[in-house]
Amino acid sequence: MPSITTWQRLEPLPRTDDLRIGLRAETADPLWFLARQRQFGELRGEDAGSPVNATLTASSGRISRLHLGAPGSGAATDALDHDDAAAPLESLVERERIIGTGADGGLVVSAGLHFVRLLRAQGVAQVIPDYLAAYALTAADLPGEDRDTARLRRRAVGRVLDARQLAADLLGHRGGNAALTSLPTTPPIASANQAKVMAAANAFLAAWATQLSEPAAGDPEAWVPNRLEHTFAVQADLPDGRVMLRSEEYRGGRLDWHSFTATDTPSLGDPTTPRPADSVTRTVLPTPVYYGGMPADRFWEMEDGTVRFGALDTGRTDQARLLLAEFALTFGNDWFVVPIDLAVGSVCRVDGFAVTDSFGVVTDVKRSTTSGTGRGFRLFELNAPAGPTRVKQLFFLAPAIAELNESPPTEEVAFFRDEMANLVWGVERTYQGGAGTPVDRYEEHQKRLATRQQIDVDFGDAQLLYRLNSEVPDHWHPFVPVNAAGVAPTSGVIQLERRPLVRVLPDGTSVAIPPKGRILTAQSPLRLEEDEVAKDGTDVVRTFQLTRWSDGRYHLWSGRHRSTGAGEGSSGLRFDTVVTNAG
């Protein structure tokens, strides 16, 4: 059946070329809009005034002392002066020695080549062979049999300067202003070239000092081997006394205010340069809090469509989302901001807060913890479980790092429980070789299996063979339970002690296979607290970290991080087994 299809199009028909009339979006019933605003409570008045003035008084003090490790009776002697503007706190806590540990080959070669470039830039390239003859790297300076170290040894031995020895000799000729006053007698340098070589040597020492941040030999470290975490403390001065911030379970990674607890003992001593407390008074106009996607406080205001609180998929038991929606939709416009400027690394306490409203009434705002309910608002407040009242309710603006570049792990150890073998294993997945690069222990184990000499024993016509135990890989190191040190055996407190992995050689002798990294050799013997290896396991890695601090300088250090493992594992270790004689 034939049909006729038609379309009708609705479109505006302007009667004038003036666009302002259409942009006004005129309505014929403005009273309806006012009625809707009244129904939704937007025109409801409150018997209260708006804040028009706020006066805040506070006390603050910057951290001035740092103690690495658990502070004890000698904390004041062991502590160091700390200047948060000179270096990030994380680098001072996490850093460990690399130069001179046998894993610094790459850094030493790079620094030796840099000194050669500096000599060429000064126009004294003719002295390079003399320095090479006096400070040439030897094979003993680059130990290790891994692939990267062997390659570096082939290329660098006899061709690159030993920057470690060169820096040590040059540092012995520094003056009071940290500049060289003379050059070492070896190699002899002509008087005409002395000034240029000394300029190159000063530039080399400046680069050597900033190449890697590491503690001096013999300095204390924050890493606690039996706990697999860092322990340290910092100190600041407030008007009513000193405050010590302790971090006893810092696992590495990101250091911020929540890593600390506040107390007042023991004192870390007086800093060389005193940092007295500051009193801060701010009188400002409170500003309402705004954030991206915030619901509009006007009923007919167009809102940002990227955030839709009404579309939250929330269940009855999802308390976090319900609180978020209630805060955003009901109480979002009840918050005001009173800014206060603090120096990075400051401990601050609010001493008073007075608000003047639009009716001229001055209200002294008390702490939320004084409401009588015992449950106050404690956002960003330091915990002080054992501290006195004066160190509670503090805010710490930690010198946290904003951006950080981290290398792949140079060393990684996984600790986990093996219920079938009734052991805890420390599996050394990678370690740092002589060139400073990571070496895969599993690949090394596979190469050993491919090249090892089998023990040839004639068992005759025996059909069954008794095996004392099966074999585990070379990089699996057992931890066995032992009585805790310093505790009575009857107490039942145990620790996990690393025991040597013994391998039988073809000649019938046995040899213990030690770990090759630094995590499992931090102590001898290495003992872990039994509760540190949970059912989920624990992973500890060492990485290089690079950041740029507030003064624009770069800081590079090697540190350890701890994270949760991947659960239990199985080594396949079995004792007292009977197998068939395949021969």
Side-chain angles (χ1 to χ4, degrees):
M1 181 176 181
S3 63
I4 300 176
T5 304
T6 61
W7 290 270
Q8 295 291 335
R9 185 169 62 184
L10 298 178
E11 59 183 13
L13 182 61
R15 299 180 180 180
T16 176
D17 57 359
D18 189 359
L19 299 179
R20 290 176 296 177
I21 299 176
L23 294 176
R24 285 201 298 262
E26 297 178 349
T27 179
D29 193 359
L31 186 60
W32 183 86
F33 286 95
L34 294 174
R36 294 297 291 172
Q37 286 181 279
R38 182 178 181 279
Q39 291 171 359
F40 278 85
E42 188 176 355
L43 304 181
R44 186 186 303 122
E46 296 182 357
D47 189 13
S50 300
V52 296
N53 185 62
T55 301
L56 183 144
T57 58
S59 301
S60 69
R62 298 180 65 179
I63 56 177
S64 57
R65 297 279 282 174
L66 168 65
H67 185 280
L68 300 178
S73 57
T77 304
D78 300 335
L80 307 171
D81 286 349
H82 174 67
D83 182 8
D84 47 69
L89 182 58
E90 287 167 70
S91 68
L92 301 178
V93 171
E94 298 179 5
R95 65 182 186 174
E96 56 189 17
R97 288 195 61 81
I98 296 296
I99 303 298
T101 62
D104 56 355
L107 295 173
V108 170
V109 169
S110 176
L113 294 174
H114 182 61
F115 181 64
V116 171
R117 288 192 293 267
L118 291 173
L119 291 176
R120 290 197 176 109
Q122 291 291 334
V124 286
Q126 64 272 21
V127 304
I128 295 177
D130 298 332
Y131 272 98
L132 186 60
Y135 294 100
L137 277 171
T138 64
D141 296 325
L142 298 172
E145 300 302 326
D146 59 279
R147 181 175 57 253
D148 290 344
T149 303
R151 182 185 297 115
L152 183 64
R153 190 161 48 239
R154 290 193 302 267
R155 296 179 177 179
V157 168
R159 304 172 63 187
V160 180
L161 300 176
D162 184 356
R164 289 169 298 204
Q165 188 60 43
L166 175 63
D169 291 348
L170 291 176
L171 288 173
H173 292 259
R174 268 186 166 180
N177 60 350
L180 291 175
T181 58
S182 62
L183 290 173
T185 56
T186 302
I189 303 298
S191 57
N193 298 327
Q194 288 269 347
K196 294 181 178 180
V197 173
M198 192 174 297
N202 281 320
F204 166 75
L205 289 178
W208 177 261
T210 59
Q211 175 183 227
L212 181 68
S213 177
E214 59 176 3
D219 283 356
E221 295 186 359
W223 181 256
V224 182
N226 66 316
R227 286 291 182 183
L228 301 178
E229 56 200 13
H230 301 86
T231 296
F232 66 99
V234 294
Q235 177 181 277
D237 289 324
L238 290 178
D240 56 354
R242 284 177 173 169
V243 176
M244 188 172 70
L245 307 181
R246 302 183 63 164
S247 179
E248 298 179 344
E249 298 181 359
Y250 173 55
R251 297 189 170 193
R254 288 294 182 272
L255 183 65
D256 213 333
W257 64 271
H258 47 73
S259 303
F260 297 87
T261 58
T263 183
D264 63 340
T265 57
S267 174
L268 300 185
D270 298 327
T272 303
T273 303
R275 284 192 168 186
D278 297 326
S279 296
V280 181
T281 301
R282 292 294 304 273
T283 301
V284 297
L285 175 66
T287 304
V289 173
Y290 291 99
Y291 55 89
M294 180 176 177
D297 54 2
R298 301 288 298 176
F299 182 72
W300 294 109
E301 182 178 345
M302 301 300 293
E303 297 179 340
D304 185 1
T306 58
V307 179
R308 297 177 59 195
F309 289 98
L312 282 176
D313 186 11
T314 307
R316 294 181 178 180
T317 59
D318 196 348
Q319 299 295 330
R321 292 192 182 186
L322 289 173
L323 290 174
L324 173 63
E326 184 177 9
F327 167 78
L329 299 174
T330 307
F331 304 104
N333 59 350
D334 293 341
W335 294 80
F336 291 83
V337 176
V338 177
I340 178 173
D341 295 328
L342 294 176
V344 174
S346 296
V347 181
C348 178
R349 179 180 58 231
V350 176
D351 299 323
F353 186 46
V355 178
T356 304
D357 61 24
S358 54
F359 295 106
V361 178
V362 179
T363 303
D364 187 15
V365 180
K366 303 295 183 181
R367 296 182 181 274
S368 61
T369 53
T370 61
S371 60
T373 62
R375 297 180 179 179
F377 186 78
R378 297 178 178 272
L379 185 63
F380 301 118
E381 182 180 298
L382 285 175
N383 188 25
T389 303
R390 70 175 188 85
V391 302
K392 296 182 178 180
Q393 300 171 337
L394 296 176
F395 171 76
F396 180 40
L397 183 59
I401 294 176
E403 298 292 338
L404 185 70
N405 292 326
E406 191 169 9
S407 72
T410 56
E411 183 178 348
E412 182 178 3
V413 176
F415 299 90
F416 56 82
R417 295 184 178 272
D418 183 355
E419 296 296 343
M420 296 303 296
N422 197 22
L423 290 173
V424 168
W425 294 97
V427 179
E428 198 173 45
R429 294 173 176 168
T430 59
Y431 73 95
Q432 192 173 10
T437 56
V439 182
D440 194 317
R441 285 303 309 272
Y442 177 75
E443 290 185 2
E444 286 192 343
H445 173 66
Q446 293 299 315
K447 291 179 181 179
R448 187 190 70 85
L449 292 180
T451 59
R452 72 173 179 173
Q453 180 182 358
Q454 299 292 336
I455 301 177
D456 188 12
V457 179
D458 184 11
F459 293 100
D461 58 353
Q463 296 181 1
L464 299 177
L465 302 179
Y466 166 76
R467 297 184 62 182
L468 180 63
N469 64 273
S470 59
E471 186 176 290
V472 296
D474 293 348
H475 56 293
W476 288 52
H477 301 277
F479 285 78
V480 301
V482 296
N483 291 323
V487 180
T490 56
S491 64
V493 180
I494 64 172
Q495 292 177 318
L496 301 173
E497 182 178 306
R498 184 181 66 81
R499 292 295 175 84
L501 184 65
V502 179
R503 191 76 71 212
V504 179
L505 300 178
D507 59 2
T509 61
S510 61
V511 61
I513 302 177
K516 295 187 176 182
R518 303 174 65 177
I519 296 175
L520 292 179
T521 57
Q523 286 181 342
S524 182
L526 176 61
R527 286 192 173 189
L528 305 180
E529 301 301 328
E530 197 269 340
D531 58 343
E532 293 298 333
V533 185
K535 187 176 181 180
D536 292 336
T538 296
D539 290 348
V540 180
V541 300
R542 293 176 53 236
T543 60
F544 281 106
Q545 301 168 74
L546 175 67
T547 190
R548 193 173 187 181
W549 196 226
S550 56
D551 58 357
R553 294 187 299 171
Y554 287 97
H555 294 267
L556 173 68
W557 72 95
S558 174
R560 308 184 188 195
H561 300 169
R562 175 183 172 182
S563 60
T564 304
E568 298 180 1
S570 176
S571 62
L573 178 62
R574 300 175 62 190
F575 297 95
D576 302 322
T577 58
V578 176
V579 296
T580 303
N581 182 12

